[in-house]
């Protein structure tokens, strides 16, 4: 029933089957690893170069970040100074406007002493005698007018009425012409 098959061919020295032998080369000869080592060196060099570049750029970014922070701090200080200067300029502009408004008021106000002096000189030149000088305020109707007439009436502050005597019509005419030419 059962039979025992023993293969004695493997034991013979002149017969060796090719089972288990590496294909493509001899067992004892070492493999040349120079290309592998060169590739490994190039890869390590490129990795070291990339790491060095990353380190340098990272330090430059940190330095630039510190500079940006310092410049932003200076910018904040300068903005505060600019706001202070703007405030000073606004105050100066307001002060100048108030001074101009006050100067306009004083330009329109004529002192009575100057008016009296001017009248005395005109009286001597024209030969008339003044008996009464009176100031009257503008009427309410002048303030109610509209358009350019209303603006002109609003600028009027008071009127001066002069009463007196003249020896002739020529003296009165000379007096009126001199009064109209007077800045007062």
């Amino acid at each position: 029933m059962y039979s025992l098959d023993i293969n004695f061919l493997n034991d013979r020295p002149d017969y060796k089957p090719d089972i288990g032998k590496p294909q493509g080369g001899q067992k004892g000869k070492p493999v040349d690893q120079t290309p592998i080592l060169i590739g490994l060196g190039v890869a390590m060099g490129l990795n070291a170069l990339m790491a060095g570049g990353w380190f340098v750029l990272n330090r430059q970014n940190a330095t630039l970040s510190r500079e940006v922070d310092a410049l932003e701090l200076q910018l904040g200080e300068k903005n505060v100074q600019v706001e202070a200067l703007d405030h000073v300029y606004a105050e100066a502009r307001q002060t100048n406007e108030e001074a101009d408004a006050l100067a306009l008021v004083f330009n329109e106000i004529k002192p009575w002493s100057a008016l009296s002096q001017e009248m005395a000189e005109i009286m001597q030149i024209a030969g008339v005698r003044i008996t009464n000088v009176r100031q009257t305020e503008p009427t309410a109707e002048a303030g109610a007018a509209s358009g350019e007439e209303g603006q002109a009436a609003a600028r009027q502050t008071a009127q001066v009425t002069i009463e007196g005597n003249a020896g002739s019509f020529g003296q009165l005419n000379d007096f009126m012409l001199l009064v109209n030419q007077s800045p007062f």
Side-chain angles (χ1 to χ4, degrees):
M1 310 235 221
Y2 294 104
S3 71
L4 184 61
D5 287 331
I6 298 175
N7 189 357
F8 291 107
L9 287 174
N10 287 335
D11 294 336
R12 289 178 56 190
D14 54 332
Y15 178 75
K16 295 276 186 190
D18 292 337
I19 300 172
K21 284 189 177 178
Q23 296 181 355
Q26 298 174 347
K27 240 184 186 182
K29 188 174 179 187
V31 176
D32 188 16
Q33 294 184 354
T34 305
I36 294 173
L37 293 176
I38 291 174
L40 185 62
V42 169
M44 294 289 275
L46 287 177
N47 283 336
L49 182 64
M50 293 298 284
W54 178 80
F55 179 73
V56 168
L57 290 177
N58 223 7
R59 287 188 52 89
Q60 286 179 349
N61 281 342
T63 303
L64 291 176
S65 178
R66 284 192 300 271
E67 287 179 14
V68 165
D69 291 341
L71 290 174
E72 284 178 353
L73 182 64
Q74 287 180 355
L75 180 63
E77 293 172 359
K78 299 298 180 188
N79 283 338
V80 168
Q81 291 175 352
V82 166
E83 289 175 5
L85 282 176
D86 288 342
H87 183 67
V88 168
Y89 286 144
E91 287 179 358
R93 191 170 33 253
Q94 181 181 3
T95 304
N96 286 339
E97 289 172 0
E98 291 173 0
D100 290 343
L102 188 60
L104 288 175
V105 167
F106 283 119
N107 284 340
E108 297 202 8
I109 295 175
K110 305 298 180 191
W112 278 100
S113 61
L115 181 64
S116 299
Q117 179 68 31
E118 182 76 13
M119 285 294 154
E121 290 173 5
I122 292 174
M123 283 179 7
Q124 289 176 356
I125 294 172
V128 296
R129 188 171 150 236
I130 296 176
T131 57
N132 190 12
V133 177
R134 188 175 13 151
Q135 178 179 348
T136 58
E137 296 298 323
T139 61
E141 297 170 0
S146 63
E148 292 181 16
E149 295 172 1
Q151 290 175 355
R155 283 189 297 247
Q156 281 185 335
T157 56
Q159 289 182 341
V160 175
T161 305
I162 302 170
E163 296 175 3
N165 298 325
S168 69
F169 182 73
Q171 289 176 335
L172 179 62
N173 192 27
D174 290 342
F175 178 76
M176 289 303 294
L177 288 174
L178 291 172
V179 166
N180 285 336
Q181 291 175 355
S182 172
F184 295 102

